[in-house]
Amino acid sequence: MIFFRNAKAGRILGVLRICLALMICILPILGQSNKKSQTKPVESIFPLILRGGEIQVQIRNETAEKDWNQYAFEKTKGLIDAYESYTGVNFHQAAAPIYKSLPESEKNKIKLVLKDAVFLNGTRIGGYNNVSGDLGKDLGIFMEPGIVPKGYPALLLHELGHFYFTEPSWLSEGIVSFLPYLLAKKGLLKLDSEELSAVTDEWSLEEARPSKDLPLSQDFRALDPSLGLWFYSKAVRTQMILYKELGNSGYKSFLKQITLSETLNTEGVLKILNKIQKKNWNQILQGWVLPGAYGAYPANSFLQMKEIDKL
């Protein structure tokens, strides 16, 4: 489930967010499933000093992957440091709306839970996000080791990004998938070649365009769960369009303003874009976010890594 500021939107998007977990479950298990669970869970608490003060990264590991806790903490620390540096917004400020509704004891914490099998309402789904508590009293980001083994942190990085970006869904889902790649390329986030490949694998660039290709602003995932792959592919490539049009400094400014907007819809995003650079954003985003035929960028834009690497 994505992090959200609007409760009604969160309840709707919570179900849709499961599609991502299901999608990533099809990734190679890399030998993790044959390992036996630990008899006793390993719980780790890592203090993390950020620009706005200290937070705690609490990790509960119920699997045989005993060294995963340290790995997950290092990736969490690296990502948040990079987010703070690139956006110019500290974690405490970005996450304040998320923690607002939680008890005092749950604030300024990031909870990660690794389990051999992750269930929600009796159904095994591989992973989900319940930082808000909307899906039950157990708070945290729940994952199976086959989804986020060492060397494959894509989903972990994605979910952590929702502390900064939540709404609208088409925007936030694209940003939190694209930004780890961009931060790594800028030298702000340390990812080795395997980890960077994991991030780009998550984009599903190879996903075929469906016969009914709706704009992202309509959030068409509810119509057919199989369209979820196309939604995420389209959402992340929309960020590549924005980055190309805005340039690095303009994109940084855009992300900062998005982060500081407590509630936001598509119309609000367009206003921010026009404030940064006066362009015909309706035409640029037509077919991608807005209704109509694809305009300045055809549907096959940014399907090749060589095209993305030129950004």
Side-chain angles (χ1 to χ4, degrees):
M1 176 179 177
I2 69 167
F3 299 108
F4 58 91
R5 298 185 171 104
N6 179 282
K8 183 178 180 181
R11 284 191 292 271
I12 297 171
L13 293 174
V15 178
L16 300 178
R17 187 69 187 119
I18 294 171
C19 292
L20 176 62
L22 290 171
M23 174 188 78
I24 299 180
C25 281
I26 66 175
L27 295 170
I29 299 301
L30 302 178
Q32 306 295 323
S33 59
N34 292 325
K35 297 184 179 181
K36 295 182 180 179
S37 300
Q38 297 174 170
T39 302
K40 186 177 180 180
V42 173
E43 298 189 8
S44 305
I45 298 178
F46 299 93
L48 179 55
I49 306 298
L50 301 172
R51 290 168 174 80
E54 182 177 312
I55 67 170
Q56 286 188 344
V57 179
Q58 298 184 356
I59 301 177
R60 178 182 174 87
N61 187 339
E62 302 177 11
T63 78
E65 304 304 311
K66 297 180 180 180
D67 56 352
W68 186 86
N69 293 24
Q70 183 66 39
Y71 176 78
F73 169 68
E74 291 172 356
K75 293 307 163 188
T76 298
K77 180 182 185 302
L79 185 76
I80 295 176
D81 283 343
Y83 263 57
E84 288 194 329
S85 177
Y86 190 74
T87 67
V89 180
N90 70 54
F91 176 86
H92 289 78
Q93 189 175 11
I98 295 169
Y99 290 123
K100 185 185 298 183
S101 62
L102 298 180
E104 196 65 31
S105 61
E106 298 297 338
K107 296 180 179 180
N108 298 321
K109 294 179 180 178
I110 293 176
K111 292 186 175 181
L112 307 177
V113 182
L114 193 70
K115 303 170 71 73
D116 283 314
V118 174
F119 292 84
L120 182 63
N121 297 327
T123 301
R124 185 174 181 178
I125 62 171
Y128 68 96
N129 184 323
N130 189 37
V131 168
S132 67
D134 195 59
L135 295 178
K137 65 180 181 179
D138 294 329
L139 304 180
I141 298 172
F142 298 82
M143 298 163 286
E144 294 184 8
I147 301 175
V148 285
K150 288 183 62 178
Y152 208 105
L155 179 61
L156 174 61
L157 300 178
H158 179 108
E159 294 293 1
L160 290 169
H162 282 304
F163 275 107
Y164 271 72
F165 303 103
T166 59
E167 297 175 346
S169 182
W170 67 264
L171 181 70
S172 66
E173 295 299 340
I175 292 174
V176 299
S177 286
F178 175 61
L179 204 49
Y181 166 85
L182 180 63
L183 295 173
K185 288 293 186 178
K186 294 294 181 184
L188 297 173
L189 176 62
K190 185 178 180 181
L191 296 178
D192 61 29
S193 58
E194 182 183 22
E195 292 168 332
L196 192 59
S197 293
V199 169
T200 58
D201 285 347
E202 183 199 24
W203 297 347
S204 299
L205 296 182
E206 73 286 350
E207 184 67 14
R209 180 184 176 189
S211 57
K212 190 173 185 180
D213 181 12
L214 299 173
L216 290 171
S217 60
Q218 296 183 24
D219 204 340
F220 51 77
R221 292 172 293 177
L223 301 176
D224 181 352
S226 68
L227 295 176
L229 292 172
W230 178 247
F231 181 91
Y232 290 107
S233 174
K234 194 170 180 177
V236 72
R237 290 189 290 129
T238 298
Q239 292 308 303
M240 297 167 190
I241 292 171
L242 294 180
Y243 185 82
K244 183 175 181 179
E245 291 291 333
L246 292 170
N248 185 58
S249 61
Y251 190 68
K252 287 172 65 174
S253 177
F254 173 68
L255 294 187
K256 181 175 184 178
Q257 294 187 51
I258 293 296
T259 302
L260 296 176
S261 300
E262 188 163 328
T263 58
L264 198 62
N265 56 20
T266 298
E267 182 180 357
V269 173
L270 292 174
K271 287 181 179 179
I272 291 174
L273 287 170
N274 274 304
K275 183 179 178 182
I276 297 173
Q277 287 189 26
K278 285 286 185 181
K279 291 189 175 186
N280 189 345
W281 291 105
N282 283 30
Q283 181 185 29
I284 293 170
L285 296 177
Q286 185 173 300
W288 293 90
V289 178
L290 304 173
Y294 286 90
Y297 291 88
N300 62 354
S301 298
F302 299 108
L303 287 177
Q304 303 294 326
M305 283 306 303
K306 61 182 180 181
E307 184 182 6
I308 298 166
D309 286 335
K310 292 179 181 177
L311 290 174

